[in-house]
Amino acid sequence: MFNININENEAREMLQQAIDERVEELASERYWLTYKQLSEYLNLSKPTIDDLLIKNGMPYFKVGSTYRFKKSDVDNFMNSITSHMNIMNNDLKNLKVK
């Protein structure tokens, strides 16, 4: 048998630290993305986003003259289009979603 002694206060501190780190991580996640942030998030250029994603129905919102992308919409759209791809059909440039 193992005899493990746990200091209750130390365990509470470790748990609280883990909770605090996760809360901070969730709070820092973005709800809206700018073009630049979307480009970095998807690792695609703005022209590629325009030509391959927006023209194929990726949702966006205008705020004045700027565009915003809801992160959950982007994730859902990318999951939707990539679910149709396979090893033989994996080129975004041949994407036809509409």
Side-chain angles (χ1 to χ4, degrees):
M1 276 275 163
F2 292 104
N3 185 11
I4 300 174
N5 293 324
I6 298 175
N7 179 319
E8 185 176 340
N9 288 333
E10 186 177 334
R12 286 181 193 272
E13 287 176 19
M14 290 173 60
L15 179 59
Q16 187 61 52
Q17 181 181 358
I19 291 170
D20 291 345
E21 287 173 2
R22 181 64 179 142
V23 166
E24 186 176 321
E25 179 183 315
L26 289 171
S28 69
E29 286 185 12
R30 297 191 179 272
Y31 184 79
W32 295 101
L33 301 171
T34 64
Y35 250 120
K36 181 180 179 188
Q37 292 164 336
L38 179 63
S39 177
E40 291 170 0
Y41 180 64
L42 296 177
N43 197 26
L44 297 171
S45 68
K46 183 182 181 298
T48 300
I49 292 169
D50 288 341
D51 293 342
L52 301 181
L53 302 180
I54 291 177
K55 287 182 181 175
N56 281 293
M58 186 172 72
Y60 65 90
F61 299 86
K62 281 189 81 168
V63 180
S65 62
T66 62
Y67 292 83
R68 295 291 183 264
F69 304 89
K70 196 164 126 182
K71 187 174 181 292
S72 60
D73 286 348
V74 171
D75 290 338
N76 291 336
F77 181 79
M78 294 305 292
N79 285 336
S80 171
I81 64 171
T82 56
S83 69
H84 301 291
M85 295 179 166
N86 57 41
I87 196 157
M88 301 301 287
N89 174 27
N90 63 0
D91 189 351
L92 279 176
K93 290 190 177 189
N94 295 325
L95 178 65
K96 301 288 184 254
V97 174
K98 290 184 180 179

